[in-house]
Amino acid sequence: MRPGREVVLADGTRVSAGDVVITRHNDRSNRGRDGSWVKNGDRWVVREVDRSGDLHVARAGHQARRLGETVRLPADYVAQHVQLGYASTVHGAQGATVDTTHTVVTGAESRQGLYVALTRGRHENHLYLSDDEPVPDGFALERPADHGPR
């Protein structure tokens, strides 16, 4: 991997070698040697950003262990149809396996959704619950002593 060179995505985030990205548009004209094409929702690891802004990526997930073939995502495709892939909805995570998950829940999730969220992590699954109570400064690490038990 060549650290340093970056490309800016449509949402203003930056991507460089080593980042995880998701493609958000089907491109049947961009195929790997195995015949598979770039699909909406595919997760990739960036291997290189070249001078023209093209990304050279390898499939992430269970196939990443082999770190085989790379696919070139052209700069114009990247600018319009690639996002950072570190976070996902529960629906987007279905079928994925990662080392650690962090899930924020509100209480409106289905039993099936919670199952998916809590079974994606190989080593750890963390669940964060919201009490839906506003905090005056918008963020608090400790509850005041007079707040009382819940």
Side-chain angles (χ1 to χ4, degrees):
M1 286 188 271
R2 253 190 199 163
R5 195 172 291 145
E6 294 180 333
V7 66
V8 178
L9 303 178
D11 63 0
T13 56
R14 296 177 177 272
V15 172
S16 63
D19 279 324
V20 177
V21 296
I22 296 178
T23 48
R24 293 296 184 192
H25 182 75
N26 293 333
D27 184 359
R28 291 178 188 267
S29 67
N30 193 346
R31 294 181 180 267
R33 279 184 281 168
D34 64 356
S36 65
W37 43 278
V38 174
K39 296 174 197 69
N40 178 21
D42 282 351
R43 191 174 303 273
W44 309 86
V45 176
V46 177
R47 296 284 163 230
E48 180 186 355
V49 178
D50 68 23
R51 291 180 193 271
S52 65
D54 295 354
L55 297 183
H56 298 263
V57 298
R59 292 196 184 275
H62 67 281
Q63 298 172 5
R65 299 225 185 283
R66 293 186 294 243
L67 294 182
E69 172 189 8
T70 61
V71 172
R72 183 183 63 84
L73 301 176
D76 58 339
Y77 178 91
V78 171
Q80 296 177 49
H81 306 298
V82 173
Q83 297 175 339
L84 283 174
Y86 293 108
S88 177
T89 64
V90 170
H91 297 290
Q94 193 161 0
T97 301
V98 297
D99 289 339
T100 303
T101 67
H102 296 268
T103 305
V104 178
V105 296
T106 64
E109 296 76 19
S110 69
R111 174 181 64 204
Q112 295 85 353
L114 284 173
Y115 173 81
V116 170
L118 293 173
T119 58
R120 303 301 93 195
R122 188 177 294 113
H123 303 295
E124 295 178 353
N125 292 284
H126 301 272
L127 187 64
Y128 303 90
L129 305 172
S130 170
D131 66 3
D132 222 10
E133 186 174 311
V135 179
D137 64 358
F139 184 77
L141 293 177
E142 297 180 334
R143 205 176 282 284
D146 64 346
H147 191 275
R150 292 219 166 213

